[in-house]
Amino acid sequence: MLTKRIIPCLDIKNGRTVKGVNFVDLRDAGDPVELAKIYSDEGADELVFLDISATEERRRTLVDLVRKVAATINIPFTVGGGISAVEDVEVLLQNGADKVSINSSAVKNPQLINDLAQKFGSQCVVVAIDAKQIDGEWMVHLVGGKVPTEIKLFDWAQEVEQRGAGEILFTSMNHDGTKNGFANEALAKLSELVNIPIIASGGAGNIQHFVDTFVEGKSDAALAASVFHFKEIEIKTLKKELKKNNIEVRI
Amino acid sequence: MKIVIINYGAGNIQSIMFAIERLGYKAVLSNDPDEIKAADKVIFPGVGEASYAMKMLKESGLDTLIPTLKQPVFGICLGMQLMCNHSEEGDTKGLGIFDVNVVKFSKKVKVPQMGWNVIYNLKSDLFKGIAEKEYMYLVHSFYAPICAETIATTDYELEYSSALENDNFYGTQFHPEKSGDVGEKILDNFLKL
């Protein structure tokens, strides 16, 4: 059976990991390559690197990082942040990234999804959607959830699938950072509406939250950052617990 | 040992290069028929859409060369699918190395299948030292049904071929270069054939 996936997310700025990480055995806590290797050895199923740097230097340092990560780890990884053109994606894939994640640029230019799917295949196109529930309605937000749009989450999810997205990474702004669990109701609805995998993001605080998002939220994968970085949850322990709950995982 | 990765403009070639380097070998990228013919081992990668990849292959004349190769040849993912008779994706005629037609998963399951699934009923030197039901990384919407050349089986909606073998030709639907240490061992087994 296809397993549920556990995906740690690393925020990258100028080629370095940001947000404190709490690994005592790390020689350099800011080195994304070393962190990636640790997560890979601990049993992470994939990794996501989110580039949040804003300088012109970004692309070069990011490409350099992608090469180093691809040379070191033997599991798939996704790169996101600041991708707005086919050429951006080409250079990342050529250097060993398996997938790219696009967010605001897909909202501003939906044709980008079609172009990427056509040129590189749907399997490497992840569309990240940040949404916030306002008066009962889930609305898409941009720029890390800061800027609201008039687009409804469920409409947009169906559109990105039709345009050729291979996967949707859904972050609930209502849940992100709360550690109170994932947005399982919205996630379950997404899973019923579209026929591509859904990655749950935002709200992971304990192991039960992962169980819930796979069972109630029908998520195909769950992404988290701080609970892994601060070792509040260890991936090995998490997977053992998921297995005890009859959730198929790779151990 | 000379390892050539066929470079025809389709595929995540860098990941395979790195995996081979981690195993202690060097590989070269080539679309030159003479260099490919002279190699000890040939790897035929591929991601993306079948008819586009086949078009690229034809443009470099490699569609006629590959079936005539005598050394071990390893098709990965779309590479394996293109080695079959036909693919439903873009109604694409394949290289006819594996006697099976590639078809699409139904809407009963999420498509693409994306993630880790087990391989079993292993029957090949490619899987020497590999236990049954190890997890491999797969990303695909089309599959090769079970046939006489099946050497590994995976279950998603139904049982299908996650690896094929015919004489010196091998193919895996999964990505050994992205399937952790066990995947690397399979790649190593191929390089030691």
Side-chain angles (χ1 to χ4, degrees):
Chain A
M1 228 176 108
L2 182 67
T3 70
K4 301 291 187 180
R5 286 170 283 152
I6 300 296
I7 309 176
C9 176
L10 301 167
D11 284 351
I12 306 295
K13 194 168 185 180
N14 301 324
R16 307 270 298 165
T17 314
V18 294
K19 279 188 186 170
V21 287
N22 190 18
F23 281 100
V24 282
D25 43 355
L26 262 187
R27 276 176 289 134
D28 176 359
D31 180 3
V33 180
E34 200 174 345
L35 203 53
K37 181 78 170 70
I38 287 179
Y39 281 134
S40 165
D41 291 345
E42 281 187 347
D45 297 306
E46 279 183 48
L47 296 171
V48 168
F49 294 86
L50 193 59
D51 186 40
I52 56 169
S53 45
T55 64
E56 287 300 309
E57 288 286 290
R58 175 176 60 207
R59 194 193 277 193
R60 204 179 330 140
T61 52
L62 187 62
V63 167
D64 189 39
L65 173 67
V66 165
R67 275 192 83 82
K68 282 185 197 152
V69 170
T72 309
I73 65 166
N74 52 22
I75 59 168
F77 68 100
T78 302
V79 180
I83 294 165
S84 56
V86 170
E87 299 75 55
D88 297 336
V89 174
E90 189 152 37
V91 69
L92 294 171
L93 296 181
Q94 274 171 358
N95 282 280
D98 297 287
K99 313 179 202 178
V100 294
S101 162
I102 52 173
N103 191 335
S104 302
S105 56
V107 174
K108 287 174 196 154
N109 172 23
Q111 180 62 30
L112 180 63
I113 304 169
N114 304 62
D115 294 347
L116 293 179
Q118 198 178 16
K119 176 126 201 227
F120 309 110
S122 288
Q123 82 291 331
C124 71
V125 185
V126 183
V127 175
I129 308 177
D130 298 339
K132 193 185 277 180
Q133 198 175 23
I134 301 166
D135 299 330
E137 190 78 64
W138 284 95
M139 304 303 293
V140 174
H141 282 58
L142 303 180
V143 200
K146 285 183 213 115
V147 180
T149 70
E150 297 295 309
I151 304 165
K152 290 177 181 169
L153 165 66
F154 299 111
D155 295 343
W156 179 231
Q158 285 177 296
E159 183 177 341
V160 304
E161 179 187 31
Q162 279 157 14
R163 287 181 178 275
E167 208 167 16
I168 290 173
L169 166 57
F170 167 56
T171 304
S172 158
M173 306 316 299
N174 301 73
H175 296 71
D176 198 29
T178 64
K179 298 202 172 181
N180 282 330
F182 296 92
N184 294 324
E185 211 177 307
L187 283 159
K189 193 171 168 190
L190 276 176
S191 245
E192 279 161 27
L193 266 181
V194 301
N195 200 42
I196 53 178
I198 306 289
I199 307 170
S201 159
N206 60 42
I207 287 176
Q208 188 59 39
H209 293 154
F210 286 88
V211 175
D212 292 344
T213 201
F214 290 137
V215 177
E216 292 165 25
K218 300 189 171 111
S219 306
D220 299 287
L223 176 142
S226 61
V227 290
F228 296 138
H229 299 332
F230 293 106
K231 282 209 165 181
E232 289 162 25
I233 298 175
E234 288 194 88
I235 292 169
K236 273 186 187 152
T237 319
L238 170 60
K239 286 192 153 181
K240 271 186 206 152
E241 287 300 314
L242 290 172
K243 189 136 201 157
K244 271 191 209 161
N245 282 275
N246 297 316
I247 294 166
E248 191 83 6
V249 285
R250 176 179 72 113
I251 290 184
Chain B
M1 179 165 64
K2 178 137 195 191
I3 304 163
V4 168
I5 300 171
I6 299 179
N7 183 14
Y8 62 107
N12 188 343
I13 287 163
Q14 196 56 51
S15 293
I16 299 169
M17 290 280 276
F18 282 140
I20 289 169
E21 281 172 23
R22 282 195 294 271
L23 291 167
Y25 304 95
K26 280 270 175 215
V28 293
L29 291 174
S30 179
N31 62 359
D32 172 45
D34 290 332
E35 192 167 26
I36 294 169
K37 269 190 262 180
D40 297 300
K41 300 281 174 357
V42 175
I43 293 176
F44 178 36
V47 292
E49 200 271 331
S51 64
Y52 175 77
M54 188 51 86
K55 185 172 147 262
M56 301 291 282
L57 210 56
K58 281 186 174 160
E59 275 173 18
S60 43
L62 297 174
D63 59 318
T64 50
L65 173 76
I66 294 172
T68 66
L69 293 172
K70 299 289 174 235
Q71 66 276 59
V73 178
F74 190 0
I76 296 173
C77 195
L78 182 62
M80 182 204 86
Q81 295 188 355
L82 294 178
M83 289 159 81
C84 298
N85 283 338
H86 179 269
S87 173
E88 197 180 330
E89 187 177 23
D91 191 16
T92 305
K93 189 177 182 298
L95 301 178
I97 293 165
F98 301 128
D99 190 15
V100 62
N101 293 334
V102 172
V103 292
K104 191 166 189 181
F105 286 120
S106 83
K107 296 255 174 191
K108 286 184 215 150
V109 287
K110 287 199 175 181
V111 180
Q113 168 173 226
M114 184 177 295
W116 300 78
N117 202 338
V118 292
I119 57 170
Y120 54 94
N121 292 343
L122 309 178
K123 317 170 204 173
S124 167
D125 286 344
L126 197 60
F127 302 119
K128 209 172 162 185
I130 306 290
E132 290 278 314
K133 298 202 167 179
E134 288 282 4
Y135 286 100
M136 293 292 135
Y137 186 77
L138 301 133
V139 186
H140 60 123
S141 303
F142 295 79
Y143 66 93
I146 300 288
C147 62
E149 290 154 351
T150 302
I151 53 166
T153 301
T154 293
D155 192 339
Y156 188 67
E157 186 193 353
L158 74 179
E159 291 190 316
Y160 68 92
S161 301
S162 44
L164 296 163
E165 179 183 332
N166 179 14
D167 292 332
N168 56 316
F169 294 96
Y170 301 79
T172 62
Q173 183 61 62
F174 55 85
H175 285 270
E177 77 283 10
K178 285 288 167 183
S179 295
D181 297 341
V182 185
E184 275 181 7
K185 167 82 177 138
I186 293 170
L187 195 55
D188 196 38
N189 281 346
F190 170 75
L191 297 175
K192 290 195 168 112
L193 283 172

